[in-house]
Amino acid sequence: MEDIVFRSIRSNGTATALVWLCCTAAGAGLVGCSDSSDDDGTDAAGGGASAAAQERTADENLLTGIEKIDVGGQSVNVSCSGSPAEGRPVIVLLSGGGDDLTKLAGIQKTLSAGDRVCSYDRLGQGASDKPEGPQTIESTGKVLTGVIEQVAGDRPVVLAGHSLGGLISARYAPDHTDRVKGLVLMDATSPTQNADLAREIPDSATGPAVELRDETLAILGGKGPEKLTVTDGEVRSAGDIPVEVIRHGKEYLATVPEYGPGLERAWLGGQRKWLALSERSELSTAENSEHYIYADEPEVAVRAIRKVADQAARG
């Protein structure tokens, strides 16, 4: 049913904006949340679930390949590639809502040439278990902690999140500054996403924007596959860790009839709010990208993540 709705909306020219709203809010089962495909597939993320993928690295017996691990009694699908480098953090990639770790396989493969890089499916995503009940930012953060403990050993980490994965990373970092030494937010969901939508598409609105707003707010309220409730809140400081905030440059939200320009302004405002995370935050624009920056301009995403990892290594 979700795919049928998606295809029908595509015909009236608002597909791209719908993808943004669904994916930033935890995408309700839309397999096609991104129009881009990854030629590398799961192999690029470190191989399939073969015998080779189950092998551990010699360094600290850390997992390599794609493997399901136990976190709090639930199965979480994890992919790790690359070898730990002395003095450098482990890079942990977080996908957007409605996506799984295979979406990040391309940049994971590139980054793993010089660093250890891991990604995972949150509960309700990809090959991980479905959540046992409603989730909050705090409970999904506990799963992230469990993943970090098993994939990074005692090493520090840099979190690089796209869309909803960016919001989760940004909410997590201030409470875990002992482990999180850098952040990269790729078109991260606004810290005031609920209010932004309610303001820009008011109750008096008509047309496709209404359905778009209502479905998105429902997903933000825990109705998506992750059952994750995302509430608005102030941006808390994570100290002076390096933070790169990257926003899209192609204003695709403008395709929403009547309300598009306001949505674009609100989105930019949300990206600027994330700068309060650190004294060392920087905002940049991926000029040729829509929402999926790591697919549209992978070199931009890779450069930002390597920059933050380098800064984190220097301390």
Side-chain angles (χ1 to χ4, degrees), residues 9 15 52 73 78 91 122 139 142 166 194 206 228 259:
I9 294 177
V78 175
I91 297 167
R122 296 187 296 276
S139 64
K142 290 181 180 179
N194 290 278
T206 59
L228 175 61
Y259 302 100

Side-chain angles (χ1 to χ4, degrees), residues 221-256:
K223 304 301 183 181
E226 293 185 54
K227 298 181 181 179
L228 175 61
T229 297
V230 181
T231 58
D232 293 348
E234 294 291 328
V235 176
R236 294 179 297 130
S237 174
D240 64 350
I241 65 172
V243 176
E244 289 287 319
V245 179
I246 314 171
R247 64 174 290 258
H248 66 261
K250 289 187 175 180
E251 296 189 345
Y252 64 92
L253 297 179
T255 62
V256 178

Side-chain angles (χ1 to χ4, degrees), residues 50-178:
S50 62
Q54 304 303 317
E55 293 180 0
R56 304 285 187 175
T57 64
D59 191 305
E60 300 184 45
N61 200 36
L62 297 175
L63 72 86
T64 297
I66 295 180
E67 187 172 328
K68 291 185 178 181
I69 63 175
D70 182 273
V71 178
Q74 292 194 278
S75 178
V76 176
N77 193 44
V78 175
S79 169
C80 289
S81 51
S83 299
E86 186 64 32
R88 293 186 64 79
V90 174
I91 297 167
V92 179
L93 306 174
L94 287 83
S95 61
D99 293 336
D100 61 21
L101 59 79
T102 64
K103 293 289 187 182
L104 298 163
I107 63 167
Q108 179 168 330
K109 181 178 180 180
T110 300
L111 289 164
S112 63
D115 285 294
R116 175 168 170 79
V117 189
C118 298
S119 56
Y120 75 106
D121 293 330
R122 296 187 296 276
L123 297 180
Q125 283 186 311
S128 290
D129 282 351
K130 295 179 180 179
E132 295 177 342
Q135 294 199 89
T136 63
I137 291 296
E138 290 73 23
S139 64
T140 201
K142 290 181 180 179
V143 175
L144 175 54
T145 295
V147 170
I148 289 173
E149 289 175 346
Q150 296 190 52
V151 304
D154 60 359
R155 284 182 163 79
V157 299
V158 164
L159 302 180
H162 169 246
S163 195
L164 179 63
L167 181 145
I168 291 171
S169 301
R171 294 290 192 211
Y172 181 87
D175 292 324
H176 299 87
T177 54
D178 57 325

Side-chain angles (χ1 to χ4, degrees), residues 268-285:
L268 175 57
Q271 304 310 294
R272 287 174 173 158
K273 289 173 184 175
W274 286 127
L275 294 175
L277 278 163
S278 171
E279 300 168 3
R280 297 166 65 191
S281 295
E282 294 186 8
L283 173 64
S284 62
T285 301

